[in-house]
Amino acid sequence: MQQKRVLAIHDISCVGKCSLTVALPIISATGIECSGMPTAVLSTHTGGFTGFTYRDLTEDMVPITDHWVSLGLKFEGIYTGFLGSFEQIDLVCDIIDRIGKDDGLVFVDPVMADNGMLYKIFPDTFPQGMKKLCSKADVILPNITEAVLMLGEEYHDGPYTEEYISGLLKRLAALGPKKVVLTGVNFDEKSLGAAAYDAESGEIVYAFSERIPGYYHGTGDIFSSVVVSCIMNGLSLKESIENAVDFTYNSILRTYKAGSDVKYGVNFEEGFPKLLKDMGL
Ligand code: PXL
């Protein structure tokens, strides 16, 4: 059988373990070829560091795509994350049309906000642009802040009710994607996890772990990369979010126990043997 190929479209934050520096190793480790299109190059991610460098790569994205089109390249999966500029949203919509396989899958993680706040580097119009990109996706993976920003609703902290979460999932599915994976879901103070909705079957599934105190950078990208890997490997939506919650939780736990500086990201590398076993690989 031909090996599947995914294109990850994110920035490269050289240090700090997020975006391409987690998507590439995680997807590759699960046996899926992972190519990368960098949207920007930063010395570190923007969360918790000051003085980082930022080189926008918007200008390179069309020539890169043109070259791949000339090679006849098509991808079974396209997974988009942090985009470097508003203009890139339209470019990525076009790139999906040009190099996504007709029967391929498009995963959009609308990375732009957390904890009720849009990241400072983005303009207020950014959520409306991301909403458009989400309408082209098969699977979207927002956190609760990103979800409410795209829906034009007010953010509030958890714990949430099951009724609120199922309503949010259905309003997000109405934007166009076939499946919605929502992160940062909790129904009590002790746990944290994800909910997923399959708009075709109407099924909602959940996965939770114990909540570990603190804020851990890059964990949204780690979670989404595992979901992409699991779905591309043919696992169900429930199995995919269970593996992603477990892998992310254990990465945070190792980092918490080690007392590491959390802005440098979490120790996900030691979790691969268990992930591959849990995925049946
Ligand atoms: O993990 C999300 C992310 C990705 N890329 C960059 C970021 C962030 C979050 O802060 O700053 C550059």
Side-chain angles (χ1 to χ4, degrees):
M1 222 174 53
Q2 194 81 31
Q3 189 183 19
K4 286 188 183 157
R5 186 189 272 140
V6 166
L7 171 63
I9 308 179
H10 302 240
D11 68 286
I12 297 186
S13 290
C14 302
V15 163
K17 295 203 269 191
C18 65
S19 39
L20 274 184
T21 65
V22 307
L24 284 161
I26 292 173
I27 295 169
S28 295
T30 68
I32 308 285
E33 180 181 336
C34 189
S35 305
M37 181 184 284
T39 57
V41 180
L42 295 84
S43 51
T44 64
H45 61 70
T46 66
F49 291 99
T50 53
F52 50 83
T53 68
Y54 190 105
R55 184 174 302 276
D56 178 85
L57 294 180
T58 305
E59 269 182 39
D60 292 30
M61 291 169 70
V62 173
I64 289 172
T65 310
D66 290 343
H67 182 222
W68 291 345
V69 169
S70 80
L71 297 174
L73 276 177
K74 291 265 185 183
F75 294 87
E76 281 82 18
I78 297 184
Y79 161 36
T80 77
F82 182 98
L83 300 183
S85 67
F86 191 86
E87 203 189 333
Q88 286 186 7
I89 296 174
D90 279 336
L91 285 183
V92 168
C93 289
D94 192 46
I95 289 169
I96 290 169
D97 291 337
R98 295 180 70 199
I99 55 173
K101 274 203 171 157
D102 289 342
D103 57 353
L105 291 175
V106 176
F107 300 86
V108 173
D109 183 344
V111 176
M112 60 182 161
D114 210 353
N115 285 318
M117 302 240 298
L118 188 67
Y119 294 146
K120 284 193 204 82
I121 44 167
F122 293 129
D124 288 344
T125 49
F126 210 75
Q128 288 310 305
M130 275 297 189
K131 191 170 159 180
K132 186 174 148 203
L133 182 56
C134 284
S135 73
K136 285 190 80 74
D138 294 288
V139 184
I140 63 168
L141 304 113
N143 61 32
I144 298 216
T145 307
E146 290 155 350
V148 297
L149 282 173
M150 289 194 292
L151 293 169
E153 298 177 11
E154 211 165 298
Y155 174 81
H156 60 93
D157 284 326
Y160 304 101
T161 62
E162 217 166 319
E163 191 188 5
Y164 174 71
I165 295 299
S166 67
L168 211 47
L169 289 167
K170 287 172 192 172
R171 291 194 292 282
L172 288 163
L175 302 179
K178 295 183 193 73
K179 294 182 173 67
V180 178
V181 176
L182 187 63
T183 57
V185 174
N186 66 326
F187 296 136
D188 58 54
E189 299 287 355
K190 287 189 299 242
S191 55
L192 191 60
Y197 175 57
D198 182 330
E200 280 163 345
S201 68
E203 192 187 18
I204 295 179
V205 289
Y206 297 97
F208 293 103
S209 66
E210 176 202 347
R211 176 193 279 272
I212 300 168
Y215 180 80
Y216 298 86
H217 290 279
T219 49
D221 297 333
I222 290 172
F223 176 91
S224 295
S225 298
V226 176
V227 171
V228 170
S229 302
C230 288
I231 292 181
M232 293 305 294
N233 273 290
L235 274 67
S236 70
L237 198 52
K238 178 147 175 77
E239 290 165 333
S240 301
I241 65 167
E242 281 172 352
N243 279 309
V245 165
D246 187 69
F247 186 76
T248 309
Y249 166 74
N250 283 306
S251 303
I252 293 173
L253 188 62
R254 266 177 234 116
T255 309
Y256 175 73
K257 282 186 176 162
S260 319
D261 182 345
V262 294
K263 64 179 183 290
Y264 288 96
V266 295
N267 177 351
F268 69 89
E269 294 88 342
E270 287 178 32
F272 282 124
K274 180 174 190 302
L275 174 67
L276 300 188
K277 192 163 156 272
D278 291 347
M279 286 176 69
L281 296 173

